[in-house]
Amino acid sequence: DLVRRLVVLGVLDAQRDAAGELWFPLSQLPAMARVQRLRAGFALNYAALGLVVDLLDRIAELESAARGRSRTPGGPKWTSTS
């Protein structure tokens, strides 16, 4: 029941076979583990899980982009006011 709800909410990606059974790519294993940790640690409802997962993904993208920027000594600083 939980897995079907997560697929409907778009938290997990799955495909249906000819018999209508759900099939998940291996990449969804870590996603499901993350969902289980979030539910256990924060007691989030199904709708909140989707939002939190989306926000965590966005944070990871932004952190990755920030790490990819040049870090030269004369470059802009986070604490800069100008």
Side-chain angles (χ1 to χ4, degrees), residues 2-70:
L2 171 62
V3 173
R4 285 188 181 100
R5 287 184 189 192
L6 296 174
V7 170
V8 169
L9 290 170
V11 176
L12 295 176
D13 295 324
Q15 296 179 355
R16 292 198 181 267
D17 64 10
E21 297 293 323
L22 292 173
W23 288 84
F24 297 88
L26 288 177
S27 63
Q28 292 303 287
L29 289 175
M32 185 60 195
R34 179 167 66 169
V35 166
Q36 288 177 321
R37 286 191 308 271
L38 288 170
R39 279 191 45 88
F42 298 107
L44 298 172
N45 64 31
Y46 298 114
L49 277 172
L51 175 64
V52 171
V53 167
D54 287 344
L55 291 172
L56 289 172
D57 289 344
R58 182 65 179 139
I59 289 168
E61 290 172 14
L62 292 170
E63 287 177 341
S64 177
R67 278 192 296 271
R69 292 190 187 126
S70 173

